[in-house]
Amino acid sequence: MLEFLRGRDVLVAGWGVSGRSLIEPLRDIGAHPVVTDAGAGALAEAAGLGLEVATSVELETADLSRYALVITSPGWRPDSPVLVNAVTAGIPVWGDVEFAWWVDQARLYGPVRKWLVITGTNGKTTTTNMTHAILRAAGIPSVACGNIGLPILDALRRNPGPQVLAVELSSFQLHWAPSVRPEAGVVLNVAEDHLDWHGGLDAYAAAKARALVGRVGVVGLDDPVAASLARKSKARRTVGFRIGVPADGELGVVDGKLLDRAFTKAAILAEVGDISPPGPSGVADALAAAALTRSIDVAPQFVREGLVEHRVGPHRAAFVRELAGVEFVDDSKATNPHAARSSILAHPSVVWVAGGQLKGAAVEDLVEEVAERLVGAVLIGVDAPIIAAALARHAPEVPVVEVQARDDATMKADAVMAEAVRLAAGFADSGDAVLLAPAAASLDMFADYTHRGRSFAEAVNALQESDIGRRS
């Protein structure tokens, strides 16, 4: 499948983490990579490594016939002018994941691996890490890769190489990877997110459904959109999981125990109390990881060992501190309303720190559902007014404060977060949780969601007991 690239030019569109991972495999195939990007700094870095480069502006209208293939970074939209120019010229456009799939199928770096693909609006990284923990417990050489941080191509090039890949894939990556046929794939849930990129919920869900085309497809039955994909699944076998009593062909929960009725008559996999993070979303992620690993015959004992070993990563409902009976929780990874919903519903009373870039997602249903749990809200970021308006409509009794950045040095992102945390602490009393669950992306103010989470934690750790509980 890759022989057509030998001796040919391949355009690498986007000089990010995925773009860098393409260079050595392309050279190993015998292709000649050419890098394009909109950023002058990115092109200078690539050129400094001896690579041929071209600006994306000049390629928008240039003759691209010299290229056998364009490999795009996942963030590039289908309507990006360079990609449109390539398609118009009849040049195939692949994503880096599509290329990695064919590199693996070609056995360029050893025997073909089993791919366990994880996607969904929320819970991808937690489920991927849980899956990897279970595989480790079973002694299976494996690696967590993809959208979680390690490019798949870098994972394939490891020596000794893994036998199984726990692959987190975003909707962008799946859009650009039509050939991937995983050993098993899961769609955890589907809620409004990245609608500006995909153009609507249907297209977004269709991208997610590309995980359900291999030997086993797994869907979250408690999520209506994910559950509906079971009927459209192209997997040879489709199973589901739910936070309740499982039917035949499902995984679920009975009397505080995770139970598999899909891959055996009935097998206890773990105790709910073993799961980190605690709460319904953590249990759902654990069931999904269990389904993926059970689909490749990992024994129940290793599922339990892996789930006991797993602990939630930073910025994912991570406990920061308790002060005067108030818990401070960093869920900066809750970058859309669906994720924020799960985070808020894990606490009986919440002072909500939220805001950022909503990316076209609606917050009305979220605010209406969680209104009774809110004792205060402090809003930051470009779309804070949208959240404030929803709170005014559905939770008019909840006190709301907006903290906006200013151009002067005293109110940059970290200073805004410090002020937001101080105000949130003032709304809180003993028994409350001050929860950073932004329901929005971070790039309007912060470098990324990890920067936002660190900023929150630093502000929390600077608080004094006298800052707590000034609400009447």
Side-chain angles (χ1 to χ4, degrees):
M1 180 62 184
L2 298 177
E3 292 81 3
F4 78 102
L5 299 180
R6 190 174 304 278
R8 298 292 305 279
D9 295 329
V10 175
L11 184 64
V12 174
W15 184 244
V17 172
S18 62
R20 294 181 185 91
S21 75
L22 292 164
I23 302 306
E24 290 309 315
L26 284 169
R27 287 172 167 167
D28 289 342
I29 291 167
H32 173 237
V34 179
V35 175
T36 187
D37 196 283
L43 292 181
E45 180 184 329
L49 296 174
L51 293 162
E52 183 180 348
V53 300
T55 68
S56 58
V57 173
E58 67 183 282
L59 294 181
E60 290 177 4
T61 55
D63 179 3
L64 301 183
S65 59
R66 63 176 283 202
Y67 298 105
L69 176 69
V70 176
I71 308 179
T72 178
S73 294
W76 283 46
R77 291 167 49 141
D79 59 359
S80 298
V82 173
L83 304 187
V84 171
N85 188 15
V87 171
T88 302
I91 299 166
V93 177
W94 292 3
D96 63 297
V97 174
E98 177 83 357
F99 180 69
W101 172 260
W102 288 113
V103 164
D104 192 27
Q105 298 302 302
R107 302 174 186 263
L108 187 64
Y109 300 116
V112 175
R113 281 70 169 188
K114 291 182 178 179
W115 290 42
L116 302 181
V117 166
I118 299 98
T119 196
T121 303
N122 299 299
K124 294 187 295 295
T125 298
T126 298
T127 303
T128 303
N129 283 326
M130 286 176 167
T131 301
H132 188 213
I134 294 169
L135 294 169
R136 285 200 310 267
I140 298 172
S142 59
V143 67
C145 57
N147 195 54
I148 200 169
L150 176 69
I152 301 170
L153 288 164
D154 288 353
L156 293 175
R157 294 174 65 224
R158 286 189 170 186
N159 188 17
Q163 295 175 5
V164 180
L165 306 180
V167 187
E168 177 184 329
L169 293 183
S170 69
S171 59
F172 304 159
Q173 290 169 313
L174 284 162
H175 174 90
W176 291 117
S179 301
V180 172
R181 298 292 182 269
E183 185 72 11
V186 62
V187 178
L188 302 168
N189 44 59
V190 180
E192 289 187 345
D193 198 15
H194 302 302
L195 302 189
D196 50 349
W197 197 97
H198 289 281
L201 184 60
D202 288 346
Y204 174 60
K208 294 293 189 187
R210 287 190 169 177
L212 307 176
V213 295
R215 187 176 66 83
V216 177
V218 182
V219 296
L221 297 173
D222 294 326
D223 181 271
V225 181
S228 73
L229 296 179
R231 298 189 296 273
K232 304 174 185 176
S233 172
K234 297 180 181 178
R236 277 180 270 167
R237 183 188 179 198
T238 303
V239 303
F241 64 90
R242 65 175 76 246
I243 312 272
V245 178
D248 289 340
E250 298 177 1
L251 292 85
V253 179
V254 178
D255 296 329
K257 296 177 174 59
L258 277 64
L259 188 69
D260 172 13
R261 297 191 66 191
F263 301 99
T264 187
K265 184 174 181 180
I268 295 173
L269 302 176
E271 302 280 341
V272 167
D274 292 335
I275 307 305
S276 170
S281 59
V283 173
D285 295 342
L287 288 166
L292 291 174
T293 51
R294 291 288 290 138
S295 78
I296 59 168
D297 299 323
V298 173
Q301 71 190 75
F302 298 124
V303 174
R304 181 184 183 281
E305 289 179 19
L307 292 176
V308 169
E309 173 193 319
H310 174 266
R311 287 295 175 266
V312 68
H315 315 302
R316 294 171 173 84
F319 174 80
V320 177
R321 182 188 186 190
E322 181 177 327
L323 184 63
V326 176
E327 285 191 353
F328 291 82
V329 179
D330 166 18
D331 199 8
S332 183
K333 187 65 170 65
T335 57
N336 55 66
H338 188 270
R341 171 188 180 275
S342 297
S343 197
I344 295 169
L345 292 179
H347 304 276
S349 58
V350 171
V351 180
W352 187 25
V353 181
Q357 296 166 302
L358 288 171
K359 301 173 294 182
V363 292
E364 295 289 330
D365 290 347
L366 165 66
V367 172
E368 186 173 13
E369 182 175 2
V370 304
E372 292 184 355
R373 295 177 185 250
L374 300 180
V375 297
V378 182
L379 307 177
I380 63 175
V382 65
D383 286 334
I386 297 174
I387 302 174
L391 284 162
R393 283 189 288 274
H394 300 293
E397 72 287 352
V398 174
V400 177
V401 178
E402 294 182 49
V403 183
Q404 294 292 347
R406 297 199 304 267
D407 289 336
D408 63 275
T410 63
M411 285 301 281
K412 295 296 187 182
D414 291 329
V416 169
M417 182 61 79
E419 177 66 5
V421 167
R422 185 187 67 78
L423 291 167
F427 285 137
D429 277 340
S430 179
D432 295 337
V434 172
L435 173 65
L436 174 65
S442 58
L443 297 181
D444 58 325
M445 292 176 60
F446 299 92
D448 51 30
Y449 77 86
T450 64
H451 174 200
R452 180 169 61 186
R454 290 194 305 272
S455 183
F456 175 80
E458 289 168 3
V460 167
N461 287 321
L463 291 173
Q464 306 293 321
E465 283 202 18
S466 58
D467 294 314
I468 301 296
R470 295 194 300 272
R471 82 169 192 265
S472 57

